[in-house]
Amino acid sequence: MTVAPHRPGPAGWLSRAGGGDRPSRPVWPAGLPRLQRVEQPPPPQWRTTLTTSALGLLSLVLLVLLMNLTVVSQLQHWNSQRDLYSKLRLGFAEGSSPIGQLDINGKIVESGTPIALLRIPRLGLREVVVEGTSSRTTKLGVGHRRDTPFPGQPGVAILMGRAAAYGGPLGGIGELQRGDKISVSTGQGIAQYEVIGPRNGATQLPVLGPSDGRLTLITADGPPFAPTSVLRVDAKLISKAQPRPPIAIAPGVVADEDQAMSGDSERAFSLSWLSELLLGLSLAAVWAWKRWNRRAAYVVFLPALTVTAFACADRVIDLLPNLL
C-alpha cells in the first residue's frame, strides 16, 4: 500500500496537536508583520459644526416666525394703531389729513399715512385706515387701495385688511349681514354705508351712477394663517357723497405688491443679507461656546441672535400674502 506524502495546508504554519485532524490555535510566524485594525477617521469637525449650526439656525427662524405671526404681531398692531390714531386726530384737527391721492403739498400720499377711521358696530371694530395695501402696510392696519376713491366719495373705495395676523381686523367680515351699518370718518366728514353682502369673483354688482358710492372690504378666506381664497363684502353709500379731488393715479394702475394676496418682493434683498448675518452669528456663537466661558457666550450672542432672527422673520412675513 502506498502512503501519500504529507502536504501542508494553505496556511502552511498550522500545527497538529496529538496527531489528530483537529488544528490547534494558530501560531503567528516569526518575522511576519502583524495586521492592525485601522479606525475610520471621524468626519471633519467643521462639517459637524456647520450642520449643527444650520439646523439650529433653521429651528430658531421657524420658532421666531411662528411667534411673530401669532403673538408679537398682535402687540405690534395694537401699538401701531395707538400711534396712528393720535396722528389721525391731529390731522383732522389741523385740516391736514389727506382726502385724495395727493397731500396738501401736491405729492402722492405716502404708504402708511393714516387717512380714515373705520367703524363696524356688529364686529366691535374701530380701526385706523392707512394709505396703501402692500404687505408692509397692512401690518399697520386696514389699507386703502390707492387707485380707488377715498371712502365717502363717488365710485368704489376698496379697503384691504388681514384676517388673522397683526390683529386680523377684517377677519370677521364674513359675519356681516345685509343691512348692517359701516361708518368711515375722513377729512371730509363721516360716510355711512349699508352692507349689501359677501361676494365671490363671479358675482356682478350694478353699475354705479355719477354720484353713487360703494365700499368693498377684502380679506383672506379660509383657516387662520392658511387662506384658500379671497373674501369680499360690499356696502352701498347711504350718506351724501363728497366731492373727489383730482386723480393722480388712474384706476387699475397699482403695483403688484398692492394686489390682493400678494407679497412684497422688494424685501427679498434685505432678507438675504440678514440671513447671512444670522448664519455668521450662529457660527461665531458655536465657536464661542467651545472656546469661551458658556455664560459669556450666552450674554454676548443670545441678544444678537434673537434680534436678527426677529428681523429675518419680519422680512419673511413681508414676502407672504398681504391679507394673511
Side-chain angles (χ1 to χ4, degrees):
M1 182 175 63
T2 306
V3 179
H6 171 70
R7 294 182 179 179
W13 44 269
L14 294 177
S15 62
R16 303 287 180 175
D21 295 334
R22 186 176 180 181
S24 64
R25 185 176 181 181
V27 178
W28 195 266
L32 188 64
R34 291 182 175 274
L35 298 178
Q36 295 182 353
R37 182 183 297 274
V38 178
E39 297 292 339
Q40 185 70 19
Q45 189 174 3
W46 65 268
R47 186 181 301 173
T48 304
T49 302
L50 184 60
T51 303
T52 305
S53 301
L55 293 177
L57 174 63
L58 180 59
S59 302
L60 178 64
V61 171
L62 292 178
L63 177 61
V64 170
L65 178 61
L66 181 62
M67 290 181 56
N68 207 342
L69 278 175
T70 57
V71 179
V72 179
S73 67
Q74 317 303 328
L75 300 176
Q76 290 178 339
H77 175 263
W78 177 82
N79 186 64
S80 298
Q81 283 290 302
R82 184 186 61 178
D83 294 341
L84 289 171
Y85 183 69
S86 299
K87 294 179 181 178
L88 183 65
R89 289 185 57 187
L90 181 61
F92 284 170
E94 295 178 344
S96 59
S97 180
I99 58 174
Q101 297 170 347
L102 302 177
D103 59 15
I104 57 177
N105 298 319
K107 299 180 180 180
I108 298 293
V109 178
E110 296 182 359
S111 295
T113 302
I115 64 169
L117 182 65
L118 172 67
R119 292 187 179 94
I120 306 180
R122 174 174 285 274
L123 304 180
L125 177 67
R126 192 191 74 163
E127 182 84 0
V128 177
V129 180
V130 296
E131 184 70 352
T133 53
S134 67
S135 184
R136 276 184 286 179
T137 306
T138 55
K139 292 194 298 186
L140 304 174
V142 174
H144 168 254
R145 215 174 90 163
R146 57 174 63 251
D147 65 323
T148 65
F150 272 38
Q153 299 174 0
V156 181
I158 297 179
L159 301 182
M160 297 184 184
R162 294 181 178 267
Y166 293 92
L170 297 187
I173 63 173
E175 303 174 7
L176 294 177
Q177 302 176 5
R178 186 180 184 88
D180 286 340
K181 298 299 188 291
I182 298 176
S183 67
V184 187
S185 303
T186 67
Q188 293 177 309
I190 301 177
Q192 299 289 342
Y193 289 88
E194 187 177 272
V195 173
I196 300 173
R199 172 172 57 94
N200 56 32
T203 305
Q204 296 293 330
L205 295 176
V207 179
L208 295 176
S211 60
D212 296 333
R214 185 185 300 144
L215 179 69
T216 300
L217 304 177
I218 302 178
T219 190
D221 192 18
F225 306 106
T228 56
S229 59
V230 174
L231 175 63
R232 295 177 174 85
V233 175
D234 298 292
K236 62 180 179 180
L237 181 65
I238 57 177
S239 60
K240 181 181 179 180
Q242 300 293 334
R244 185 180 184 184
I247 299 174
I249 302 175
V253 181
V254 64
D256 293 338
E257 58 265 20
D258 288 322
Q259 300 285 355
M261 299 300 290
S262 297
D264 192 351
S265 57
E266 294 182 358
R267 306 291 275 176
F269 175 74
S270 58
L271 176 61
S272 63
W273 66 261
L274 279 172
S275 300
E276 294 175 1
L277 176 61
L278 186 59
L279 178 60
L281 286 173
S282 300
L283 294 175
V286 173
W287 179 88
W289 180 268
K290 295 180 177 296
R291 300 297 182 93
W292 293 2
N293 179 278
R294 293 190 174 183
R295 183 177 299 179
Y298 266 118
V299 171
V300 173
F301 288 98
L302 184 60
L305 284 170
T306 302
V307 172
T308 309
F310 270 105
C312 288
D314 184 70
R315 298 325 190 264
V316 172
I317 294 175
D318 290 340
L319 297 176
L320 298 177
N322 53 359
L323 304 182
L324 186 66

